Amino acid sequence: MPPVIADALTLTGLFLTLVGAGVAARAVILRPEDAVRIGVSRIADATFEENLKLSAVQNLLRSSRLAKWGLGAVAVGTLFQAVPVAARLFL
């Protein structure tokens, strides 16, 4: 296989990795309002600020923060791998 084709396939694979990680992370990234809506029972009568302190809501928000960090790490790692390949293809 010619090196140009191999590099093009590698770059395509890295792009798909980045897109897939973004889609997967999007499924678990929540706004505080969403976390309260999901994590609080329907009969709760506390204020929004009180609901934010509930353990179920805090767990959802922690998972969301970690998903953002994970997506960021995958994105940076993918870019580190893609830069040399793109340089060989386009420079």
Side-chain angles (χ1 to χ4, degrees):
M1 178 182 299
V4 171
I5 293 174
D7 286 346
L9 290 174
T10 300
L11 197 56
T12 301
L14 290 170
F15 176 74
L16 291 174
T17 298
L18 186 58
V19 169
V23 170
R26 178 67 184 115
V28 293
I29 293 175
L30 300 171
R31 295 177 303 148
E33 294 83 10
D34 296 331
V36 167
R37 186 173 39 81
I38 294 168
V40 175
S41 76
R42 299 295 168 234
I43 59 171
D45 58 353
T47 65
F48 179 76
E49 290 75 23
E50 290 173 349
N51 287 337
L52 275 177
K53 297 175 186 174
L54 296 174
S55 61
V57 174
Q58 287 299 309
N59 287 338
L60 288 168
L61 291 172
R62 183 174 183 273
S63 295
S64 179
R65 279 191 300 275
L66 291 175
K68 290 176 190 176
W69 277 99
L71 174 60
V74 169
V76 170
T78 299
L79 289 174
F80 280 162
Q81 294 177 57
V83 167
V85 175
R88 280 197 307 265
L89 281 174
F90 302 115
L91 297 180

